Amino acid sequence: MSETPWVNAPWEHPDWYDIHDTAWTAGPEREPEHYGELVIALPPLDAGDHLLDAGCGTGKLAALVAGGYPKLGRVTLLEPNALKLERAVAKLRELLPKARVDGVPGSLGESAGVTVEAANVVIVGSVLMPIMELRGGALADGLAWLRAALRDLVRCIRPGGWLYDVETLAAPWARGGPTDPVRRLTLPELVDEVARAGLDAVECAYRFRDRMIVKARRP
Ligand SMILES: C[S@@+](CC[C@H](N)C(=O)[O-])C[C@H]1O[C@@H](n2cnc3c(N)ncnc32)[C@H](O)[C@@H]1O
């Protein structure tokens, strides 16, 4: 049987195109659902647990976890933007008055590396794919940064601890190899990178259109 012209380019099929034209993204209005799924994917957290939110922004994801686990003992918030970090720390201290909450200014994947005490659960909310893309350059540059960021993240996880990362993946028509412009990764590409960083039990814990949660354990 001869190949149809749209095997490798499904958007060339007019019906596929009409179905997907504006429907391939999960859409920002569904973000609370995806972040909620990350909380659902977590193991139980209590006074003896240490949660690290890497690239915490203003603390939205850590706050959601704190809402579900009010006895959580320790939270570390890592973020390069000082004003966002300040807001995140204030938010988490208010939500968890008995917990130890530390704010650490810092960036994943930079030459200085990240130094925080390793946590047993590390969460990442929409950091790896957008920052990889925002940095620009070629896909090879993006992958070099992503691999450095994942090396930092692995060091932030205690042996036996877990990483949970919610990300927005590449569009179905994203194409291009190492020398082409940087793009977000597909699910298998991201899962491969997480495994390649030395984590095991790598699994897609949730997916809805372009949104996914990858979980993995540090051996
Ligand atoms: C899309 S926001 C997500 C913020 C937060 N995790 C959330 O879910 O609301 C990406 C965050 O990553 C931070 N960021 C930028 N470069 C970073 C890096 N190299 N390492 C860690 N975080 C970074 C940005 O300052 C921003 O707060």
Side-chain angles (χ1 to χ4, degrees), residues 35 55-57 60 79-81 84 107-108 110 125-127 131 145:
Y35 275 44
C56 67
K60 187 170 60 182
E79 166 61 43
N81 178 310
K84 290 184 187 174
S107 299
L108 299 167
E110 301 302 336
S126 305
V127 175
I131 302 305
W145 176 80

Side-chain angles (χ1 to χ4, degrees), residues 49-115:
D49 291 302
H50 178 193
L51 178 90
L52 167 69
D53 185 351
C56 67
T58 55
K60 187 170 60 182
L61 186 55
L64 207 60
V65 176
Y69 291 105
K71 290 185 184 165
L72 178 58
R74 184 171 173 191
V75 178
T76 302
L77 301 159
L78 175 79
E79 166 61 43
N81 178 310
L83 293 175
K84 290 184 187 174
L85 182 59
E86 196 182 330
R87 189 172 297 182
V89 169
K91 193 182 285 176
L92 268 295
R93 286 193 178 145
E94 194 179 328
L95 283 167
L96 299 174
K98 291 187 183 151
R100 171 174 168 185
V101 177
D102 298 308
V104 178
S107 299
L108 299 167
E110 301 302 336
S111 51
V114 162
T115 41

Side-chain angles (χ1 to χ4, degrees), residues 41 154 157 159-165 190-206 212-219:
V154 170
I157 309 169
W162 289 87
L163 169 73
Y164 294 83
D165 177 21
L190 181 55
V191 162
D192 274 359
E193 291 297 330
V194 171
R196 184 191 163 125
L199 298 175
D200 69 8
V202 185
E203 192 185 329
C204 169
Y206 169 79
M212 67 92 72
I213 295 169
V214 59
K215 72 181 256 203
R217 183 181 54 201
R218 180 171 176 182

